[in-house]
Amino acid sequence: MAGLLTLPLYFGGCAVDRWEAYAGRTQTDRWIDDTMRVWYYWKQDIPHTNDLNYFSPPFEFFASVLSEQDGKGGQPFSTIDSLESATRGVASTGYGYGFQYTTNHVEDNDTALYARLLYVSPDSPAGEAGLERGDWIMELDGKPITEDNAARLNGCDGLTLTVGYYDTARDTIVAYAEPLTLAPARSYTDNPVHYRNVYVSGSKRVGYLVYNHFTGGLTESSTEYDDDLREAFRYFASEQVNEFVLDLRYNNGGQLSCASLLCAMLAPSSALGQPLGYLEFNESIGEQEMTFDESLIQGGANLNLSRLYVLTSAETASASEMVINSLKPYMEVVLIGGTTVGKNVASRAFVNEELMLVMRPIVCKLSNARHESDYAEGFPADVSVDENGDMARFLPFGNPDELMLHTALELINGNLPETQGRTQKKTTVVYNSVGRKASKAVEM
């Protein structure tokens, strides 16, 4: 913003000029106010200056200007954070052991828990130790996991783990013979292009991609991960893929540019150059059109698909949902899994290095080429599958017997799969020690 706006009228009618005294004390809140009144999607809901306290702490002030329409379940999509100069710009760095997991109560035990791994980042202590999706952590340093010590799974000085697997014949979790040593928690990176493969069944050549966050590279200006995504699509093209399964079940969003790239490589070739969708800003800014931009593909490949199968869950959000919505006008999109989150808005980062703050307010709503944006309650699955419903098929990514992928492959082959299985008891919340970029909205 250029310069400071005139001091709001809340100071009252005193004739003494206290501008210099007040300016320093209100600088942060006025920067927030100035920026939000220009860019905020719901700017019309910002209270009048007379109704705001410009002496309140910055995070409190930021909350006071937000619209009731901003967010879901009492949690706003717009955020403000302290700016840490040492880590600013690092888009996919995590700290911890590098796995995502759920905790589950042990049968016939009121206090003991088992932790089942959903996802393991290869470049992490967990990945280097050989842990993989589907493993069960049964004990920490020889002691049962409980509510009191479970937080140690998020990162500490290292652990000795009792790791087990689900034994189908005995219908129980069985420990491996030897415990596993987990190195101390540390920083690591997590490449969103997690897994790729091609499956052949008759004339069907099925590409499969596990893509876990929309991040272009290690920094805001680098493209390592986008280049890996392009290389994956070169591979799919070389394998003459004619069906595709996109696994977004753990992808909670990220950068708009990455979503646009992915759409350009998945869409029918006839869609290239056509409207991808629209960014609907507030009335002062207007609307911006996005297109399926062939120039983004560069060394990648457009697969010219007519149908796409997407694996979804209650974690599938924002940029993931934008991809689904943007492709729907041009191709058949079949959702397998669970209802997505429902975040049809985008944010923009505003950095103030002097104040050491970064603010990401919602600045626009996302719609597709038909101006459709009616997924605020999430996209329901066309084929409902609970990956927790069959422990025998809770397998590593890419295993064709893994429940979600198996369901997609069966559908592609013209079969209606049987998805019912043994449902786990008392599954609790998902915990995340993975360096995937958590995004409450698409980032511009």
Side-chain angles (χ1 to χ4, degrees):
M1 300 294 296
L4 298 174
L5 296 185
T6 304
L7 192 66
L9 299 178
Y10 61 86
F11 288 123
C14 180
V16 178
D17 184 359
R18 294 190 174 92
W19 169 259
E20 292 185 2
Y22 290 146
R25 295 173 59 190
T26 63
Q27 179 184 10
T28 301
D29 288 356
R30 284 185 288 109
W31 172 71
I32 294 170
D33 186 81
D34 293 350
T35 306
M36 295 289 280
R37 290 189 189 277
V38 173
W39 286 100
Y40 192 40
Y41 180 67
W42 298 283
K43 60 176 292 185
Q44 73 279 359
D45 294 344
I46 299 176
H48 190 275
T49 54
N50 290 348
D51 298 322
L52 292 169
N53 179 6
Y54 291 80
F55 293 96
S56 59
F59 288 15
E60 181 180 316
F61 181 83
F62 180 77
S64 73
V65 304
L66 296 182
S67 169
E68 292 182 357
Q69 302 179 70
D70 188 343
K72 179 172 290 189
Q75 183 68 30
F77 294 153
S78 298
T79 64
I80 187 169
D81 295 295
S82 299
L83 179 63
E84 298 293 339
S85 58
T87 59
R88 182 167 60 86
V90 179
S92 59
T93 299
Y95 183 88
Y97 293 130
F99 52 72
Q100 185 176 7
Y101 63 97
T102 59
T103 57
N104 306 80
H105 284 277
V106 179
E107 274 191 83
D108 302 322
N109 191 316
D110 292 334
T111 60
L113 304 170
Y114 287 162
R116 181 169 64 176
L117 302 191
L118 309 179
Y119 173 90
V120 178
S121 180
D123 181 32
S124 70
E128 292 170 356
L131 287 170
E132 61 180 2
R133 170 183 161 82
D135 283 339
W136 292 83
I137 299 176
M138 305 170 71
E139 292 180 336
L140 306 180
D141 294 331
K143 298 179 181 178
I145 304 171
T146 66
E147 298 288 353
D148 293 333
N149 66 9
R152 298 184 69 202
L153 291 168
N154 296 331
C156 61
D157 293 333
L159 293 169
T160 298
L161 304 177
T162 301
V163 181
Y165 63 96
Y166 175 68
D167 187 303
T168 305
R170 289 185 278 179
D171 189 25
T172 190
I173 311 300
V174 178
Y176 291 111
E178 297 295 330
L180 183 147
T181 300
L182 196 61
R186 60 169 173 80
S187 296
Y188 59 90
T189 58
D190 182 62
N191 190 326
V193 186
H194 183 75
Y195 181 89
R196 69 181 192 188
N197 204 354
V198 173
Y199 306 86
V200 180
S201 177
S203 63
K204 306 288 188 180
R205 302 185 66 83
V206 184
Y208 174 60
L209 175 67
V210 181
Y211 187 63
N212 283 323
H213 52 95
F214 290 82
T215 307
L218 287 167
T219 69
E220 296 291 346
S221 59
S222 64
T223 62
E224 297 96 333
Y225 298 153
D226 278 350
D227 292 339
D228 287 344
L229 185 61
R230 293 182 178 102
E231 194 279 326
F233 274 78
R234 287 200 305 273
Y235 162 70
F236 293 132
S238 71
E239 292 291 323
Q240 300 179 324
V241 161
N242 52 27
E243 298 280 2
F244 203 90
V245 180
L246 177 63
D247 195 335
L248 299 177
R249 75 183 91 173
Y250 300 140
N251 190 320
N252 59 18
Q255 297 170 330
L256 177 66
S257 59
C258 301
S260 298
L261 169 62
L262 183 59
C263 285
M265 294 192 290
L266 289 168
S269 59
S270 59
L272 297 176
Q274 299 300 310
L276 172 71
Y278 299 90
L279 305 176
E280 302 175 3
F281 294 89
N282 63 47
E283 60 183 15
S284 300
I285 299 175
E287 184 180 88
Q288 178 181 328
E289 181 181 277
M290 302 176 289
T291 62
F292 285 93
D293 187 354
E294 188 171 6
S295 69
L296 294 175
I297 298 175
Q298 299 177 14
N302 170 260
L303 299 184
N304 191 28
L305 298 169
S306 60
R307 178 172 49 239
L308 175 67
Y309 296 84
V310 185
L311 307 187
T312 62
S313 76
E315 291 188 68
T316 306
S318 68
S320 292
E321 294 170 302
M322 174 195 158
V323 168
I324 293 167
N325 194 48
S326 297
L327 291 174
K328 276 180 173 288
Y330 297 94
M331 63 196 302
E332 181 184 2
V333 180
V334 181
L335 305 186
I336 300 169
T339 300
T340 65
V341 172
K343 293 176 181 174
N344 59 350
V345 289
S347 64
R348 176 178 173 181
F350 296 89
V351 176
N352 190 314
E353 295 188 359
E354 179 184 357
L355 300 174
M356 291 298 292
L357 289 174
V358 56
M359 182 168 58
R360 291 185 172 88
I362 296 301
V363 298
C364 65
K365 179 182 283 189
L366 301 160
S367 64
N368 64 20
R370 298 172 182 156
H371 280 93
E372 295 167 336
S373 185
D374 55 351
Y375 57 95
E377 300 305 316
F379 286 111
D382 299 295
V383 178
S384 181
V385 179
D386 178 10
E387 71 170 354
N388 295 310
D390 190 336
M391 291 198 293
R393 288 190 170 179
F394 198 97
L395 301 168
F397 292 120
N399 188 319
D401 290 327
E402 189 270 320
L403 182 60
M404 298 273 277
L405 176 58
H406 175 78
T407 302
L409 294 175
E410 286 290 285
L411 286 172
I412 290 170
N413 287 322
N415 302 319
L416 184 62
E418 173 61 50
T419 59
Q420 298 300 316
R422 180 179 183 273
T423 302
Q424 287 189 176
K425 297 182 178 180
K426 301 181 181 178
T427 300
T428 60
V429 298
V430 174
Y431 298 90
N432 196 356
S433 176
V434 178
R436 297 203 312 277
K437 187 173 186 177
S439 298
K440 294 184 177 180
V442 183
E443 289 197 336
M444 301 175 63

